[in-house]
Amino acid sequence: MTRGGRIKISDLLKSKETGKKIVVKGWVRTKRGNKNIQFIALNDGSTIHNIQLVVDVPNFDESTLKLITTGACLKAEGTLVESAGSGQPVEVLVDNITIYGTADPEKCPLQKKGHSLEFLREIAHLRPRTNTFGSVLRIRHAMAFAIHNYFNDNGFKYLHTPIVTGSDCEGAGEMFVVTTLDMNNPPRKEDGTIDYSEDFFGKQCNLTVSGQLEGELCAMALSEIYTFGPTFRAENSNTPRHLAEFWMIEPEMAFYEIEDNMDLAEDFIKYLVKYALDNCIDDLEFLQKMYDETLIERLKSVIECDFIRLEYTEGIEILKNSGVKFEFPVSWGLDLQSEHERYLVEKHFKKPVILTNYPKEIKAFYMKQNDDGKTVRAMDVLFPKIGEIIGGSQREESYDKLISRIEEMGIPEKDVWWYLDTRRFGTAPHSGFGLGFERLLLFVTGMANIRDVIPFPRTPKNAEF
Ligand code: 4AD
Ligand code: MG
């Protein structure tokens, strides 16, 4: 079916119907030629590849042709023919051109080739029209689709958890407050702090840092659920791997022990990487050529290997014995930094690693406590070039253990009474994890900065578009 009165370029390039009259629409990538014949490379975002429009100059109005510059949008009517040149199977001999929108070459930033990725971030409103961002956005779409496919095929139910919540799942306090109070003159309690009981929700609310807690409530009914939505963290980390607004996929499963959780994480991520190789190869080849010559090889190697499963304590020993001088210290009880994670994955094992049984002090309150009294059944999946791509755990299902941990950590019971109720009524062993969608995309696209795998990144001091 043709929609929008045109055939998509992805379909046209596969078409065998040479001799047929067709209509294409898109944005001009380049124009070259001479006073007799000109070649326009047109792209409509349906594929990385352009269709070549062949223009017999004497048949056209000179003033129209002059307006066809990089970035302009046009409709071309003509005949599909086998291409005379190499590089493309078919091209269009143009009869008629309608210009929808010009792009003054003096002013349009897309005119110049070879802009840096840093500069393109400053023109995030136009960068989707570059080859790079076309590829990234198509892969982003394909991965989102594959995620739903995977869970649907495996009987998981897609659950929508709230974006505005009163809870701090990770307990890190890195939350954006949501309020309708007059911030110039907020109501105050006697001790001078803001009185949120007068706020819209009658209590302090924030943008969610994770859908997990609500996910757990529904896993205790539907047994296997997943969330896939935006999450927000007001952490002031200006790194190539952190966003203030990112998307997270969080499956939560009743009856899964930590081993089942690891099996699911490994199978899931391999499925996604394979899906990208099977469905996005043109875009991957482009990104490999432009940015990362070992991209496809790295993607294949992840599918083919068994992930290493290692305890935190063993990981610390390996790092201590490595002889490497890390910027951050390594000792039992400290959280791992990305340099440590990458050493384990890239240098020591040369494979993805699932690290388990972390010290309880560096992990969230909900993780299942081990009998040693020191560690919890956490699991982080560590990936080459990325470090942590997944964080998860088996959950503490015992009411008594959970309540004592909550008291130990000073979490007010009145904030989590509803969560505790799942442990009082029909509790069950259960597990789950969170995959950072943009971290996955960093891995799959080979891009080096997380700002380049989301259309409009939110980072400290940056929310222009
Ligand atoms: O390890 P995290 O904080 O775990 C959770 O939020 C759990 N509630 C997940 C769960 O068990 N359901 O975050 C999970 C993942 C990280 O491994 C990382 O991939 C990603 O989310 N992530 C970020 N991605 C981009 N920018 C940030 N600031 C991120 N923080 C975490
Ligand atoms: Mg984590």
Side-chain angles (χ1 to χ4, degrees):
M1 185 192 285
T2 57
R3 291 206 167 102
R6 52 98 197 224
I7 178 166
K8 268 184 235 176
I9 292 171
S10 54
D11 294 333
L12 199 56
L13 289 171
K14 282 182 260 166
S15 173
K16 303 265 179 289
E17 295 182 272
T18 48
K20 199 177 158 186
K21 290 281 180 201
I22 59 91
V23 180
V24 271
K25 301 180 181 181
W27 292 267
V28 175
R29 285 290 207 261
T30 56
K31 187 177 75 170
R32 63 188 173 82
N34 53 41
K35 60 182 185 327
N36 296 317
I37 190 161
Q38 293 192 345
F39 302 97
I40 300 166
L42 197 74
N43 190 281
D44 65 2
S46 58
T47 159
I48 181 78
H49 302 296
N50 305 322
I51 186 82
Q52 174 156 283
L53 308 180
V54 183
V55 178
D56 194 10
V57 176
N59 294 339
F60 287 82
D61 188 24
E62 200 184 329
S63 59
T64 307
L65 292 185
K66 253 176 114 177
L67 295 175
I68 300 173
T69 55
T70 300
C73 186
L74 57 79
K75 162 173 139 180
E77 295 158 276
T79 310
L80 188 69
V81 296
E82 226 171 276
S83 178
S86 57
Q88 63 274 325
V90 288
E91 59 193 21
V92 177
L93 292 182
V94 180
D95 303 324
N96 200 18
I97 289 182
T98 310
I99 296 179
Y100 287 135
T102 57
D104 182 348
E106 297 292 313
K107 297 187 183 133
C108 179
L110 297 170
Q111 182 70 26
K112 199 174 136 250
K113 280 198 116 179
H115 284 309
S116 71
L117 292 169
E118 287 78 10
F119 176 74
L120 290 176
R121 273 173 228 147
E122 290 171 23
I123 54 161
H125 58 306
L126 296 173
R127 71 177 184 173
R129 288 198 230 162
T130 61
N131 285 332
T132 298
F133 287 89
S135 285
V136 167
L137 294 177
R138 278 186 297 273
I139 293 172
R140 191 177 164 107
H141 159 78
M143 289 294 89
F145 181 78
I147 285 161
H148 289 299
N149 241 2
Y150 179 85
F151 285 124
N152 188 56
D153 287 352
N154 285 280
F156 285 59
K157 304 293 178 278
Y158 179 29
L159 181 76
H160 298 100
T161 49
I163 290 173
V164 177
T165 113
S167 62
D168 177 6
C169 173
E170 292 306 294
E174 296 159 334
M175 298 176 303
F176 292 100
V177 175
V178 175
T179 181
T180 54
L181 292 178
D182 174 5
M183 279 296 135
N184 291 315
N185 186 23
R188 294 194 185 272
K189 294 193 275 199
E190 271 172 16
D191 64 3
T193 56
I194 294 178
D195 184 2
Y196 283 100
S197 69
E198 293 191 28
D199 203 350
F200 189 91
F201 296 107
K203 60 183 291 198
Q204 186 175 338
C205 281
N206 49 272
L207 295 178
T208 187
V209 298
S210 159
Q212 178 194 325
L213 301 187
E214 293 90 350
E216 282 187 55
L217 308 181
C218 296
M220 289 297 119
L222 299 167
S223 52
E224 290 172 323
I225 64 91
Y226 71 104
T227 72
F228 184 2
T231 49
F232 306 86
R233 301 211 178 163
E235 53 188 338
N236 201 4
S237 14
N238 252 312
T239 80
R241 285 176 307 281
H242 288 89
L243 290 165
E245 175 180 281
F246 63 99
W247 288 64
M248 189 159 34
I249 301 98
E250 296 184 275
E252 192 68 37
M253 300 75 62
F255 318 124
Y256 279 44
E257 307 271 335
I258 191 73
E259 289 77 18
D260 304 310
N261 206 21
M262 290 193 268
D263 291 345
L264 179 73
E266 183 168 344
D267 187 56
F268 176 46
I269 215 160
K270 284 178 171 170
Y271 173 89
L272 297 178
V273 173
K274 182 166 187 309
Y275 189 94
L277 285 166
D278 290 347
N279 294 278
C280 309
I281 196 67
D282 288 359
D283 288 316
L284 292 173
E285 279 170 356
F286 171 78
L287 293 170
Q288 166 159 287
K289 188 175 81 195
M290 296 297 290
Y291 299 104
D292 182 345
E293 56 185 10
T294 56
L295 175 62
I296 292 173
E297 181 190 312
R298 201 163 57 248
L299 297 182
K300 286 189 177 152
S301 79
V302 159
I303 302 178
E304 282 153 15
C305 74
D306 289 330
F307 294 5
I308 299 289
R309 297 182 182 193
L310 186 76
E311 300 222 357
Y312 167 91
T313 304
E314 298 170 80
I316 291 291
E317 284 312 306
I318 293 172
L319 292 167
K320 275 193 185 161
N321 297 332
S322 68
V324 176
K325 264 204 96 52
F326 294 107
E327 189 188 337
F328 292 92
V330 179
S331 89
W332 200 97
L334 295 183
D335 209 356
L336 296 186
Q337 302 296 325
S338 131
E339 57 170 341
H340 308 133
E341 295 170 342
R342 293 183 60 177
Y343 176 84
L344 291 174
V345 173
E346 290 165 23
K347 297 277 174 357
H348 191 82
F349 290 109
K350 301 189 168 59
K351 283 178 189 184
V353 174
I354 310 183
L355 210 57
T356 54
N357 295 334
Y358 282 71
K360 64 177 181 183
E361 279 76 20
I362 56 171
K363 290 293 182 189
F365 73 95
Y366 51 71
M367 295 194 181
K368 184 175 174 65
Q369 297 157 40
N370 282 317
D371 292 336
D372 63 10
K374 293 193 300 193
T375 58
V376 286
R377 242 171 251 185
M379 59 162 229
D380 280 6
V381 180
L382 313 179
F383 253 51
K385 303 259 279 191
I386 312 294
E388 180 191 336
I389 196 165
I390 283 179
S393 75
Q394 187 166 342
R395 317 307 188 191
E396 183 53 77
E397 81 266 22
S398 147
Y399 178 83
D400 291 338
K401 284 189 181 167
L402 190 59
I403 192 95
S404 75
R405 186 75 189 124
I406 280 172
E407 280 166 8
E408 213 170 80
M409 294 176 76
I411 299 169
E413 205 182 316
K414 69 169 179 37
D415 290 353
V416 286
W417 63 272
W418 43 271
Y419 184 74
L420 288 165
D421 260 6
T422 54
R423 276 59 173 179
R424 293 172 63 212
F425 308 126
T427 192
H430 64 290
S431 300
F433 61 80
L435 168 67
F437 189 46
E438 287 76 18
R439 299 248 176 119
L440 169 77
L441 289 172
L442 275 179
F443 181 71
V444 172
T445 61
M447 299 301 282
N449 194 311
I450 200 161
R451 292 165 177 82
D452 298 332
V453 295
I454 187 164
F456 304 102
R458 267 81 187 99
T459 50
K461 304 274 179 285
N462 177 28
E464 177 74 14
F465 305 95

